[in-house]
Amino acid sequence: MDDMDRARLYEADLEKVIMDAIVIEKAMPATSERASNPNNTHYVIRGTSTTGVSVYCKVCSNYHPRTGEFICWELTSFTIK
């Protein structure tokens, strides 16, 4: 939310980037202390906001710490390139 506020980006911008995505780049394994499973991975989606500004969105896959079962995707950053 802080990244979006600073960059003056809105939900419509995020929706546009995700819906227009052609490529999702695997960025790196999630290695922070909060990474509860070694399968958690960061991905980057690059795109254009509703006002034509180049932006990127970083999401992380989340897996259950004990079972290894996929839980959800989490938006970790959305800001101007």
Side-chain angles (χ1 to χ4, degrees):
M1 296 286 279
D2 292 337
D3 291 342
M4 290 175 69
D5 285 341
R6 278 192 295 278
R8 296 189 178 183
L9 296 168
Y10 304 96
E11 184 179 345
D13 298 306
L14 179 60
E15 180 181 0
K16 181 181 183 310
V17 170
I18 291 172
M19 296 304 288
D20 292 350
I22 295 171
V23 174
I24 298 174
E25 303 168 38
K26 185 175 183 178
M28 63 185 159
T31 57
S32 74
E33 293 177 13
R34 295 185 326 199
S36 59
N37 187 295
N39 291 332
N40 292 357
T41 304
H42 288 288
Y43 296 86
V44 174
I45 305 168
R46 300 176 195 281
T48 306
S49 72
T50 57
T51 59
V53 175
S54 292
V55 295
Y56 75 92
C57 161
K58 187 164 49 167
V59 296
C60 183
S61 59
N62 285 297
Y63 291 84
H64 192 277
R66 280 176 270 173
T67 67
E69 188 174 342
F70 177 76
I71 299 171
C72 67
W73 292 100
E74 183 175 326
L75 177 65
T76 59
S77 183
F78 182 59
T79 191
I80 298 172
K81 275 189 186 176

